[in-house]
């Protein structure tokens, strides 16, 4: 199913139910290898089933990609807020992260607002530990969370 149409053939409830069952089975099988993306797609399907008229004549792949990139941006924003970084810089590093390496780790560290972090955090880390934890969190927290959404 590429799009949801209002053609006569698409309004056949029996065929629509069969199509939905097939799609759910495909999502279930896909979820075995990528649970995070599988859940995102299942949530989209559930929303489509609840609000079919909202999605009429829309490309399903566009809907999925908008949701994927929205979820990625949301995780990046959480990371940015925690580590006092610029959203666009972190997004660049996340999208260009390959083989476990950042494009410019030093620049990411330099652009973290350590002074603001120290001011606003109850028990701040020492500067050296802050940078070490920042990079470790990028690899282990952020990238592990969003990598499945790039697939």
């Amino acid at each position: 199913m590429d799009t949801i149409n209002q053609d006569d053939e698409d309004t056949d409830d029996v065929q629509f139910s069969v199509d939905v069952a097939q799609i759910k089975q495909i999502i279930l099988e896909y979820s075995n290898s990528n649970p995070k993306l599988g859940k995102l797609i299942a949530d989209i399907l559930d929303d489509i089933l609840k609000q079919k008229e909202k999605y009429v004549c829309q490309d399903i792949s566009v809907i999925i990609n908008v949701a994927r990139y929205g979820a990625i941006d949301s995780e990046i924003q959480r990371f940015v807020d925690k580590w006092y970084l610029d959203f666009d810089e972190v997004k660049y590093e996340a999208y260009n992260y390959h083989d476990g390496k950042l494009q410019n780790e030093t620049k990411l560290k330099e652009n973290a607002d350590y002074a603001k972090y120290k001011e606003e955090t109850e028990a701040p880390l020492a500067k050296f530990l802050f940078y070490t934890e920042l990079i470790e969190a990028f690899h282990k927290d952020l990238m592990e969370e969003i990598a499945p959404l790039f697939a």
Side-chain angles (χ1 to χ4, degrees):
M1 181 184 306
D2 293 330
T3 61
I4 297 173
N5 297 315
Q6 285 186 313
D7 299 340
D8 290 329
E9 61 188 68
D10 283 338
T11 57
D12 180 1
D13 290 336
V14 173
Q15 184 59 48
F16 184 76
S17 295
V18 168
D19 291 344
V20 168
Q22 288 175 338
I23 292 169
K24 284 183 176 184
Q25 183 60 38
I26 292 168
I27 292 170
L28 182 64
E29 291 168 9
Y30 185 76
S31 293
N32 291 331
S33 63
N34 190 335
K36 187 160 188 89
L37 189 54
K39 181 182 179 339
L40 182 91
I41 295 170
D43 291 346
I44 291 169
L45 179 60
D46 288 343
D47 194 45
I48 289 170
L49 295 174
K50 290 175 188 168
Q51 304 180 63
K52 185 177 175 185
E53 61 283 345
K54 174 181 168 185
Y55 295 97
V56 169
C57 297
Q58 290 190 41
D59 186 323
I60 301 297
S61 63
V62 170
I63 294 166
I64 291 170
N65 283 328
V66 166
R68 275 183 350 150
Y69 293 119
I72 291 168
D73 286 352
S74 178
E75 289 299 325
I76 290 172
Q77 187 62 55
R78 271 194 276 280
F79 184 82
V80 162
D81 292 344
K82 180 177 180 180
W83 293 101
Y84 296 83
L85 293 160
D86 178 73
F87 179 86
D88 290 329
E89 289 177 18
V90 174
K91 186 173 182 175
Y92 173 81
E93 289 294 340
Y95 278 75
N96 292 286
Y97 184 81
H98 297 291
D99 299 325
K101 295 183 182 170
L102 289 107
Q103 292 294 307
N104 195 339
E105 181 177 315
T106 303
K107 184 178 177 186
L108 190 66
K109 288 179 192 177
E110 289 172 355
N111 290 324
D113 191 345
Y114 179 77
K116 189 172 182 180
Y117 159 80
K118 189 174 179 179
E119 178 184 310
E120 294 182 2
T121 304
E122 191 173 311
L125 298 168
K127 198 172 198 177
F128 175 75
L129 287 174
F130 172 81
Y131 293 134
T132 302
E133 292 288 322
L134 162 70
I135 298 305
E136 186 175 324
F138 185 92
H139 292 292
K140 300 226 184 256
D141 298 336
L142 179 63
M143 291 313 299
E144 285 183 12
E145 190 68 29
I146 66 175
L149 297 171
F150 286 120

